[in-house]
Amino acid sequence: MSTLADTGMLTTVEEFGLDTSAIDQNLLDAGVVDGSAYGIPIGANTLSLYYNAEVLEDAGVDPASITDWDSLTAALAQVTDAGHEGITFAGIGTEEGSFQFLPWFWGSGADLTDLSSPEAVEALELWKGWLDEGYAPNTVINNSQNTVWEEVLTGDFAFAENGTWQVNSAAEAEFETGLVQLPGKDGGVAPAPTGGEFIVAPVQEDTARYDVTRQVVECMTTPEGFVETANTFAYYIPPTAEGQEQLLTESAGDPDLTPWVEAVQSAEGRTSDGLGTDYPLISEALWTAVQNALSGAATPQEALETAQSEAEAATS
């Protein structure tokens, strides 16, 4: 959104006179640049922690006990001691790697303006520690979110970080699955990054066309329009409380989307803290640091110090 807005090709919602008061602010913020909103989210997705209920039962782990980093790591020790695989995630050297690392980064209290903070180092040490202890496989270094799910479907893993787009596959798996929220370091739900789509309106020479554009936008952003979009993309979460309530009513627990509504309500836009077009440059430095730390090319501290220097140079 920030990249498109920076080209000057988009109008603002204020210019259109669109009412965004019902939109969840954390979702709207992903399309805000320099204080102006350049679009309306029509559906959001995010990440959470899937689990294999059969593996946890065999290892004697109660998923309700997963409330912070320590309890998750303790659970990973239990399942690996019981002969199972612990956790898998996508640490690939692309935006997907940053996307998957951010819940742990933000969940530590770290901020994208300071990649080498003590909190950021703790988050990367967490991931590296899981590899060193055998709680996560070395494949995570090259895993995309799709290959993570391929590992999940083997039935060997206790936990996997993935998104709403796997809801149907999880329901159809040959084993019972469940969901717990990604935990913050000291408890609570960690902010995961938002994905999804915005509806935007391009700048047009013939401003008389804006009336029709406004009608299209308003049609798509009714509660019914949001739910239709959510179901079409299987599943997006509507960006308004009314749309979320209607989605949960219509889904009627099949699948149960309640945890995903909660996850989206706690999510955070990758550019919503004012980073704008600097975000991709910072993200590349971050995913490179993750790669270097997980592969053993550098310690988490060294990797993130280099990342911060690279980010500062790229954005100055």
Side-chain angles (χ1 to χ4, degrees):
M1 286 292 294
S2 57
T3 302
L4 284 175
D6 192 54
T7 68
M9 67 179 291
L10 302 181
T11 60
T12 68
V13 295
E14 184 178 3
E15 289 172 314
F16 265 79
L18 294 168
D19 181 9
T20 60
S21 60
I23 306 291
D24 288 353
Q25 192 65 45
N26 64 320
L27 303 181
L28 184 67
D29 281 349
V32 172
V33 180
D34 295 332
S36 296
Y38 282 87
I40 295 179
I42 57 173
N45 55 32
T46 193
L47 297 165
S48 199
L49 201 60
Y50 286 92
Y51 64 82
N52 183 323
E54 296 173 12
V55 169
L56 294 194
E57 182 178 3
D58 182 65
V61 173
D62 180 0
S65 70
I66 310 300
T67 58
D68 54 21
W69 288 4
D70 286 346
S71 57
L72 176 55
T73 300
L76 295 177
Q78 277 186 248
V79 297
T80 53
D81 286 347
H84 301 287
E85 298 283 354
I87 188 169
T88 183
F89 50 85
I92 192 170
T94 68
E95 179 59 25
E96 286 191 40
S98 291
F99 191 76
Q100 289 240 325
F101 183 60
L102 279 173
W104 314 97
F105 181 89
W106 283 332
S108 72
D111 186 279
L112 285 169
T113 60
D114 185 2
L115 298 182
S116 58
S117 68
E119 294 82 3
V121 173
E122 277 190 289
L124 193 46
E125 286 176 341
L126 178 72
W127 270 21
K128 176 59 174 170
W130 288 345
L131 264 70
D132 291 346
E133 293 295 332
Y135 300 158
N138 286 330
T139 55
V140 299
I141 298 174
N142 294 313
N143 265 354
S144 68
Q145 294 181 114
N146 285 337
T147 54
V148 164
W149 200 249
E150 290 171 5
E151 291 181 332
V152 168
L153 294 179
T154 66
D156 295 333
F157 283 87
F159 298 97
E161 182 179 352
N162 227 291
T164 51
W165 50 90
Q166 302 295 2
V167 165
N168 285 339
S169 181
E172 295 166 1
E174 295 179 356
F175 47 87
E176 182 185 350
T177 63
L179 204 71
V180 294
Q181 303 293 356
L182 288 161
K185 177 181 180 293
D186 298 318
V189 180
T194 57
E197 260 66 45
F198 274 73
I199 184 168
V200 299
V203 172
Q204 300 179 57
E205 290 184 6
D206 181 5
T207 56
R209 294 177 57 86
Y210 287 160
D211 286 338
V212 176
T213 304
R214 186 183 302 106
Q215 291 177 49
V216 173
V217 173
E218 290 175 343
C219 177
M220 292 186 67
T221 56
T222 63
E224 295 76 18
F226 284 140
V227 171
E228 180 70 19
T229 300
N231 289 327
T232 299
F233 283 88
Y235 287 92
Y236 275 178
I237 303 302
T240 64
E242 188 176 359
Q244 292 163 6
E245 183 178 354
Q246 186 167 326
L247 177 69
L248 294 178
T249 300
E250 291 188 11
S251 66
D254 186 24
D256 183 9
L257 299 176
T258 303
W260 287 112
V261 170
E262 295 171 354
V264 164
Q265 289 172 343
S266 299
E268 184 173 331
R270 284 164 279 176
T271 61
S272 58
D273 54 3
L275 294 178
T277 55
D278 284 345
Y279 171 76
L281 304 171
I282 295 170
S283 177
E284 183 173 2
L286 182 60
W287 82 57
T288 301
V290 171
Q291 286 275 293
N292 288 337
L294 295 186
S295 66
T299 66
Q301 179 80 52
E302 294 166 343
L304 288 168
E305 286 177 353
T306 299
Q308 180 60 20
S309 296
E310 291 175 347
E312 289 176 356
T315 59
S316 62

